[in-house]
Amino acid sequence: MVSKILPFGEEGRRKAFSLLLDVLYPPRCPLCGEAMPVGQKIHPECIGKIQRITGHRCAKCGKPTDPGERLCSDCAETPHRFNAGFGAFVYDGVIRDAILAMKFRGKKEYADMLGLLTAREAEAFLRMNHTQYLIPVPMHRKKKRMRGFNQAEVLAVRIGQYTGIPVLKDVLVRTRGTAAMKALDTGERRKNLSGAFRVNGRSPIAGKSLCLIDDIYTTGATADACAEACFAAGAARVVIVTVGTGDDR
Ligand SMILES: [Zn+2]
Ligand SMILES: [Zn+2]
């Protein structure tokens, strides 16, 4: 029955493959930005440089941990509001470069590629959590206007196409900008973020299992603030999937 709700499997894979061809169409390698020889979409050696997380993960946020450690040092210290987290890759190397290019050099097409790579890694996690809706972590409208797109939204759309899970845009909104956040310490950051999100009144999330989508997971402060807003609107379960995640070891 689960397969009816979440149409993973062969069809999803075929769709994703044709989509992969589409999104990789630009004749530059989306991982290193170098021009590609005709007929090639992405350098196999660049794909090979992506650091997949295959070992132990923190039981709460999904960061890589040492064997025998149930929680990462951060989760051992800070109780989180969200139920569980999963980062597809370590935020490092080619993945870090691609995320930075997507955010700060306007490479929207990189979000397509990163979304697909993330969907493949996160498929089992989403299924395990019986995710009913994907919700992109919202950007303040002023910031979105400046950047032209919200990368979390593009990622969520790609992950939705791959998994068949519907995406709810504009349900969770950011009411406060966080321009000066970089200067704040963790505690101040948390305080500043708490209450920075709200759920639009007539949203269908009550009683549902949700997955937030974002580009990077660091301290979980953003995920907690978003989860808080979703729970206040009646969500039953809130997990988070990101492209990159920290490795604090
Ligand atoms: Zn390359
Ligand atoms: Zn953790």
Side-chain angles (χ1 to χ4, degrees):
M1 273 298 110
V2 168
S3 66
K4 256 196 168 165
I5 309 163
L6 305 175
F8 297 103
E10 267 313 297
E11 200 188 326
R13 268 176 243 286
R14 260 202 309 276
K15 260 199 300 199
F17 183 66
S18 70
L19 198 67
L20 194 66
L21 295 179
D22 289 347
V23 300
L24 298 177
Y25 177 71
R28 282 184 178 276
C29 172
L31 286 175
C32 70
E34 295 291 316
M36 295 298 304
V38 176
Q40 272 193 50
K41 308 285 187 192
I42 190 163
H43 294 122
E45 58 271 31
C46 285
I47 288 271
K49 277 185 208 156
I50 297 175
Q51 215 184 320
R52 292 186 68 233
I53 303 172
T54 51
H56 285 78
R57 284 175 178 267
C58 168
K60 186 72 184 181
C61 75
K63 271 184 198 171
T65 52
D66 290 322
E69 272 184 10
R70 204 180 79 82
L71 297 174
C72 70
S73 54
D74 169 59
C75 289
E77 262 173 44
T78 314
H80 288 296
R81 291 286 284 129
F82 60 85
N83 295 106
F86 182 92
F89 307 100
V90 170
Y91 181 59
D92 203 2
V94 288
I95 288 290
R96 182 172 175 273
D97 293 346
I99 289 175
L100 291 175
M102 162 181 83
K103 284 170 83 164
F104 302 115
R105 289 197 281 122
K107 300 278 186 189
K108 190 181 173 184
E109 68 274 19
Y110 286 22
D112 294 329
M113 182 270 305
L114 291 170
L116 280 173
L117 293 173
T118 301
R120 289 201 311 208
E121 299 293 324
E123 188 178 339
F125 175 83
L126 290 168
R127 188 178 359 206
M128 217 167 62
N129 283 285
H130 305 286
T131 304
Q132 290 165 291
Y133 290 115
L134 303 176
I135 299 197
V137 167
M139 204 180 243
H140 193 264
R141 60 189 155 74
K142 275 187 197 158
K143 195 169 173 187
K144 188 175 172 182
R145 209 181 307 135
M146 267 170 62
R147 189 168 293 170
F149 64 98
N150 173 4
Q151 70 275 359
E153 208 172 281
V154 186
L155 292 166
V157 167
R158 285 297 177 239
I159 296 168
Q161 280 171 339
Y162 186 87
T163 58
I165 303 171
V167 179
L168 292 179
K169 291 190 216 170
D170 305 318
V171 155
L172 184 64
V173 290
R174 193 167 199 143
T175 53
R176 222 183 303 142
T178 43
M181 285 260 294
K182 275 185 191 132
L184 304 178
D185 69 31
T186 315
E188 291 169 328
R189 235 178 96 96
R190 286 202 159 264
K191 230 171 159 185
N192 190 276
L193 271 167
S194 178
F197 300 91
R198 72 173 164 76
V199 170
N200 270 332
R202 292 155 65 84
S203 77
I205 67 168
K208 302 291 192 219
S209 176
L210 313 175
C211 179
L212 301 162
I213 304 291
D214 207 357
D215 51 359
I216 312 165
Y217 180 95
T218 46
T219 63
T222 306
D224 282 334
C226 289
E228 191 179 282
C230 292
F231 284 129
R237 187 170 177 81
V238 182
V239 300
I240 177 158
V241 161
T242 58
V243 180
T245 188
D247 185 346
D248 305 338
R249 290 172 299 172

